[in-house]
Amino acid sequence: MSKFTLKIIAEHVGGTLKGDPETEIIGIAPADAAQGGFLSFAENERYLSKALESNASALLVPFSDISTKKSYIQVDNVRVAFAKVLALLYPENKPSPGVHESAVIDPSATVALSAH
């Protein structure tokens, strides 16, 4: 798991940041599970009040009038931004390229340098 500032996350999702740009985020969670250091999200008004009352350090929300002391990032589409933040915080674990010494490969085969 990685950690990023809200400024970097806002730039990554193309959102508008309101609040402390240096707030560090170490994870993302729904409002009822979010703790300090986490980014929570509210896709619509129905979930916004829960997100505002959560222990999350910051929120990912749609563009609307919001009154809170929490830092937040406003985006056009919360679901798309959520997916981008997940990929940023929890990058896919890719194996190192290479061919294992025990692999049996036909001498006429061409193996890409990126193979693993």
Side-chain angles (χ1 to χ4, degrees):
M1 177 172 55
S2 303
K3 65 180 174 180
F4 294 91
T5 63
L6 278 182
K7 178 182 178 188
I8 290 174
I9 293 172
E11 290 170 356
H12 185 72
V13 300
T16 301
L17 173 63
K18 305 288 185 180
D20 182 4
E22 297 306 313
T23 300
E24 287 191 341
I25 299 299
I26 60 168
I28 190 165
D32 59 353
Q35 299 298 315
F38 277 70
L39 180 69
S40 192
F41 51 93
E43 185 177 9
N44 54 45
E45 295 294 326
R46 179 176 165 204
Y47 297 107
L48 185 57
S49 63
K50 287 184 180 182
L52 291 170
E53 294 171 6
S54 74
N55 291 326
S57 292
L59 306 174
L60 187 60
V61 296
F63 284 100
S64 63
D65 290 331
I66 297 173
S67 178
T68 181
K69 293 183 180 183
K70 283 187 190 290
S71 296
Y72 58 94
I73 300 170
Q74 291 182 308
V75 294
D76 289 324
N77 187 318
V78 173
R79 284 184 186 219
V80 170
F82 174 79
K84 290 179 180 180
V85 174
L86 279 177
L88 182 67
L89 290 172
Y90 308 99
E92 184 180 339
N93 188 9
K94 296 181 182 178
S96 300
V99 178
H100 192 270
E101 60 193 38
S102 67
V104 178
I105 302 170
D106 186 288
S108 65
T110 302
V111 179
L113 294 175
S114 61
H116 56 270

